[in-house]
Amino acid sequence: MLTIAVDAMGGDNAPLETVRGAALASLEARHLQIVLVGDQRRIEPILEETRHDAERLSVLHAGSFVTMDDKPAEALTQKPDCSVLVAARLVAEGGADALVSAGNTGAGVLAAARTWKRVPGVRRAALAAVYPTEQRHGDKQDPFSLLLDVGATLDADADDLVAFALMGAAYASRVSKNARPKVALLSNGSEAGKGPASVVEAHKLLTSHTGLNFIGNVEGIDIPRGTADVIVCSGFVGNVVLKMLEGVSETVMSLARYAYKEKMVWRLGLMMLSGGFQRIKEVTDWEQYGGAPFLGFDRLYIKAHGRSKQRAIANAIKVAGKAAAHGVVEEIAKGMREFEASRQGGGAKAG
Amino acid sequence: MFRWDLDKTYLRSEFSTFTQLLKSAFEKAEDKRAVPGAPALLRALRRERGALGRICIVSGSPTQMRTVLEKRLQLDGVEYDEFVLKPNLENMLRGRFRAVREQVGYKLPALLRSRAQQPKEVEETLFGDDAEMDAFIYSLYGDVLAGRVGDRELDQVLSKVRAYPDARKATLAAAAVARVGHDVVRRILIHLDQRSPTARFAKYGPRVVPIYNYFQGALVLFADGTLSGGAVLGTALEMIASGEYTLDALANSLQDLLRRGRLALAEGARLAFEIERADIEMDARMAAALPPRSEIAAAFAARVRALALGALPPVLADGHARIDYQALLASDALKGH
């Protein structure tokens, strides 16, 4: 049975929603054990008020926690018993198979970096985000693609981008059951020579030294279309893209609300389309996807959205369970080994 | 003396849909399944309590199921002294359809009539579940026996649950005979079949302990001085051997009781001491499926170490809350009590 450590104190709505999310997961994901890491004095009253399965849930007390506004490095130094660090240590020691946190992203990454090892060959970790797309992907017909890095490594060189591609492909193949995910580099044109030097060099490496289903470069417009299953970029670019996509989504909703108020005819039109809007909302609702995997470490870390409520936390726990069960880390390590061997041998493709 | 409900307390029963209800009614004894650990716990209560280990079963199952249910208990090696079932067919033939579903007007007089046959000093532990109103009925039963609920209040409660006039009269008559004037219901254990939030039961006071499984039930009875450490171990082992429980699940269950203030840490230490010396009879198949005792102890110790011991709540002291039964009936959320 797999065990998932949950940073109970991390997130805008913690510990109430994180504990409720873990409680929900204890009832719905009966193949998982959940360890709530945090202040037991605050966790226990919430548990007692919430329907859960105590047989699948335990508490590991942590005396402090990192707030969303804390500076990560300072906070981890000043609070060695903070929940995210205690949870990361538990995973490092083998007491849990993955970590879920909705808390301060920097603190989570730093906690992982301080207690876990990187997969051999991976120099920098990447945060991957799932994004809803027009096309569906893999055997499970997932309606989203994977975009990485979205903020962990601001400036990535060619080797980093190749590692991100291998990591994203490993995640998509294991979690989305997409045996040969289509991998692309994000650039300003589809031609191989387009983009900054790091992207051009990464294109060459991905073509000649990996056996990935690499489809070349894609442009921003291809992200929502779902042209690729895995889209690779530096953290700086990925973060800008992600925030822009979120902004567009929010603006569309604002415009719909404006239209609803403005004219009776528009209101009627929106009401007639309400079923369709609901379906779109379901497909694009980030809470359904649980969390974003942090890839590149020898352990698994699922970063849930800071605003997560119980459903999103429960789904993040399930995603963590699935990633751990399907050997994502092992698949990444295999891909990196094969890439290094291919590059050193100067020939045979791997990945 | 130990009183047990059957469906969802002793037996794994599913009848939330009509199909499940029908299936349950026609199921053979061999196909019915006990909740893991319940048979071991019942056998231990009988074995260790001797003359005080009288087992009385009061169930809402219809009398027509007696043969099947008796056979299931026999297959599990469970002995009992009383076995009361609900005359549902008779209720239907008499047009008393309300009585088919209503539990207070059936269980309460049944318990009181049974109690009237017992010496006044005999203490009781009752086992129910959170699917219907067991915590309510058992607490009311205990308070009627203790004299905290008089005839007037009892009649008002029976009126509120719309018990039939003859059932009201019979209940009041049985209460008059059974009332002992002091507390004899010592413990009420509610099996959380529906996983109801434990806080819902706080209004019944410390006497009622919601439990997720019978390992927790055995632990509470061990702390009460009712059972030995060996009985706790025997219950745990039967649960693991059932294949439905892991060592982690049991260790989590132990930690849950500590966090809720339902078990003192000192009792955990006493248990470890007794378990080390306990002599448990088990067949070879069961023995092969079980982890060594050192592994069990290590798993339990790890869950205790995970807690800030200074932050554990004080163990709830014995005592009886003043329960406003009529107010409880007026609230919407009584189901699952």
Side-chain angles (χ1 to χ4, degrees):
Chain A
M1 189 174 274
L2 293 162
T3 303
I4 310 299
V6 178
D7 171 15
M9 312 306 287
D12 295 342
N13 304 303
L16 181 66
E17 294 295 334
T18 45
V19 173
R20 283 180 177 172
L24 189 60
S26 75
L27 295 168
E28 292 181 348
R30 301 182 67 77
H31 59 295
L32 298 178
Q33 287 280 337
I34 299 161
V35 183
L36 277 165
V37 184
D39 185 346
Q40 76 188 53
R41 279 164 294 209
R42 295 181 65 188
I43 293 171
E44 184 56 26
I46 302 168
L47 276 179
E48 289 187 22
E49 293 283 355
T50 310
R51 205 170 156 262
H52 70 279
D53 190 343
E55 294 167 357
R56 289 178 174 74
L57 210 150
S58 67
V59 173
L60 172 57
H61 179 74
S64 65
F65 61 94
V66 179
T67 69
M68 297 302 259
D69 302 323
D70 279 344
K71 287 183 180 164
E74 276 177 31
L76 292 196
T77 305
Q78 287 165 8
K79 302 171 183 176
D81 62 344
C82 66
S83 56
V84 72
L85 197 53
V86 172
R89 267 193 226 115
L90 180 72
V91 176
E93 289 160 6
D97 299 284
L99 164 65
V100 170
S101 175
N104 186 315
T105 306
V109 175
L110 207 54
R114 285 188 184 179
T115 52
W116 304 349
K117 291 177 186 147
R118 284 203 188 84
V119 171
V122 174
R123 292 183 310 166
R124 291 169 175 184
L127 182 61
V130 287
Y131 190 79
T133 59
E134 189 184 329
Q135 289 182 39
R136 290 177 176 252
H137 309 265
D139 290 352
K140 289 167 55 201
Q141 291 289 290
D142 281 340
F144 57 82
S145 58
L146 200 67
L147 179 67
L148 78 167
D149 172 31
V150 294
T153 302
L154 291 186
D155 199 11
D157 65 17
D159 279 358
D160 295 329
L161 292 174
V162 171
F164 297 171
L166 290 164
M167 295 192 299
Y171 188 83
S173 69
R174 291 302 176 111
V175 174
S176 299
K177 297 285 173 205
N178 189 352
R180 294 272 295 156
K182 286 183 280 184
V183 179
L185 282 165
L186 184 62
S187 190
N188 58 337
S190 59
E191 299 85 349
K194 279 280 178 79
S198 58
V199 173
V200 174
E201 177 63 18
H203 192 292
K204 283 182 196 160
L205 289 170
L206 284 165
T207 308
S208 56
H209 291 297
T210 72
L212 294 177
N213 184 11
F214 178 56
I215 62 169
N217 291 351
V218 293
E219 297 178 82
I221 196 171
D222 294 304
I223 299 173
R225 281 180 181 165
T227 308
D229 303 312
V230 178
I231 297 170
V232 176
C233 55
S234 70
F236 176 77
V237 172
N239 196 266
V240 170
V241 167
L242 189 69
K243 293 289 158 62
M244 195 202 72
L245 291 170
E246 284 179 4
V248 168
S249 173
E250 282 176 16
T251 305
V252 168
M253 295 308 288
S254 298
L255 287 172
R257 275 194 290 273
Y258 165 78
Y260 189 85
K261 286 181 192 163
E262 197 65 10
K263 278 191 181 177
M264 178 62 84
V265 178
W266 292 355
R267 187 179 305 178
L268 284 170
L270 285 169
M271 283 167 74
M272 288 170 74
L273 290 169
S274 63
F277 280 133
Q278 184 56 37
R279 177 74 192 113
I280 291 170
K281 189 174 179 299
E282 283 166 15
V283 169
T284 59
D285 184 3
W286 57 268
E287 293 213 342
Q288 298 302 320
Y289 306 118
F294 219 103
L295 302 171
F297 292 109
D298 65 346
R299 301 283 192 270
L300 281 164
Y301 170 26
I302 302 294
K303 171 71 181 76
H305 202 295
R307 282 181 283 149
S308 291
K309 294 206 170 177
Q310 61 172 343
R311 170 50 63 195
I313 296 290
N315 286 340
I317 291 168
K318 289 180 197 174
V319 165
K322 195 188 285 183
H326 292 100
V328 168
V329 170
E330 292 75 12
E331 185 69 11
I332 291 171
K334 179 170 164 267
M336 290 307 301
R337 270 197 312 273
E338 289 174 354
F339 168 65
E340 292 296 339
S342 168
R343 192 151 71 163
Q344 282 168 18
K349 288 183 174 184
Chain B
M1 179 169 181
F2 304 97
R3 297 191 185 276
W4 281 72
D5 175 41
L6 275 186
D7 291 311
K8 297 183 189 287
T9 300
Y10 179 81
L11 286 174
R12 276 264 166 80
S13 315
E14 284 298 336
F15 37 71
S16 46
T17 64
F18 183 69
T19 315
Q20 287 172 338
L21 183 68
L22 217 57
K23 184 173 173 254
S24 176
F26 291 102
E27 215 169 27
K28 289 180 191 165
E30 291 78 3
D31 296 331
K32 289 195 176 290
R33 283 191 309 144
V35 176
L41 182 56
L42 259 164
R43 290 193 301 268
L45 289 170
R46 182 75 163 188
R47 187 176 61 243
E48 295 194 353
R49 301 305 293 170
L52 297 173
R54 188 177 169 81
I55 308 281
C56 302
I57 295 165
V58 180
S59 164
S61 290
T63 45
Q64 290 71 25
M65 290 181 69
R66 178 176 292 276
T67 311
V68 172
L69 296 172
E70 283 181 341
K71 189 169 177 195
R72 180 66 260 171
L73 290 165
Q74 191 189 5
L75 288 170
D76 291 337
V78 172
E79 296 173 0
Y80 51 86
D81 301 285
E82 278 182 68
F83 194 172
V84 183
L85 293 170
K86 197 173 183 181
N88 268 344
L89 184 61
E90 187 189 319
N91 281 329
M92 284 197 281
L93 292 175
R94 290 172 64 194
R96 295 156 64 97
F97 298 109
R98 223 164 53 227
V100 175
R101 285 194 66 84
E102 206 279 304
Q103 293 294 334
V104 182
Y106 155 68
K107 270 197 179 175
L108 188 58
L111 293 167
L112 289 166
R113 276 195 293 270
S114 164
R115 175 71 207 188
Q117 313 299 317
Q118 299 305 312
K120 286 198 167 190
E121 64 279 6
V122 170
E123 292 192 327
E124 300 194 17
T125 298
L126 294 91
F127 295 79
D129 60 72
D130 62 340
E132 285 171 329
M133 293 173 65
D134 288 344
F136 180 92
I137 296 168
Y138 289 169
S139 295
L140 180 60
Y141 168 67
D143 284 350
V144 167
L145 292 182
R148 275 191 293 275
V149 171
D151 285 348
R152 186 183 150 86
E153 188 181 352
L154 177 58
D155 196 38
Q156 285 169 338
V157 169
L158 292 167
S159 165
K160 275 229 162 75
V161 298
R162 299 181 67 214
Y164 284 97
D166 58 339
R168 283 165 65 177
K169 203 173 158 186
T171 308
L172 288 167
V177 179
R179 194 169 278 128
V180 291
H182 61 270
D183 282 309
V184 286
V185 171
R186 191 171 177 201
R187 183 67 72 200
I188 296 168
L189 294 169
I190 298 297
H191 177 233
L192 295 171
D193 177 83
Q194 311 291 305
R195 300 297 189 238
S196 302
T198 54
R200 273 194 202 165
F201 299 89
K203 56 178 79 75
Y204 294 106
R207 180 170 60 182
V208 174
V209 183
I211 52 168
Y212 286 89
N213 53 54
Y214 285 110
F215 174 61
Q216 289 193 329
L219 284 170
V220 172
L221 294 180
F222 171 76
D224 285 348
T226 306
L227 279 179
S228 69
V232 178
L233 182 62
T235 304
L237 296 184
E238 184 181 87
M239 289 165 71
I240 293 175
S242 74
E244 293 183 46
Y245 280 85
T246 60
L247 198 47
D248 277 335
L250 297 184
N252 290 348
S253 303
L254 170 77
Q255 197 205 52
D256 170 70
L257 281 184
L258 291 169
R259 292 197 320 263
R260 283 197 275 142
R262 295 301 195 161
L263 188 74
L265 207 54
E267 293 299 341
R270 185 167 71 87
L271 178 68
F273 181 80
E274 279 201 27
I275 281 179
E276 192 64 29
R277 288 148 187 81
D279 188 21
I280 305 293
E281 281 180 27
M282 64 178 93
D283 59 37
R285 186 186 59 83
M286 189 189 263
L290 299 174
R293 286 187 201 189
S294 58
E295 203 175 304
I296 298 174
F300 288 0
R303 289 301 189 284
V304 174
R305 276 199 307 274
L307 297 173
L309 301 182
L312 285 174
V315 175
L316 289 170
D318 280 346
H320 302 287
R322 172 66 200 155
I323 302 167
D324 187 342
Y325 292 99
Q326 293 187 71
L328 276 177
L329 285 171
S331 70
D332 295 333
L334 193 61
K335 196 180 176 228
H337 284 210

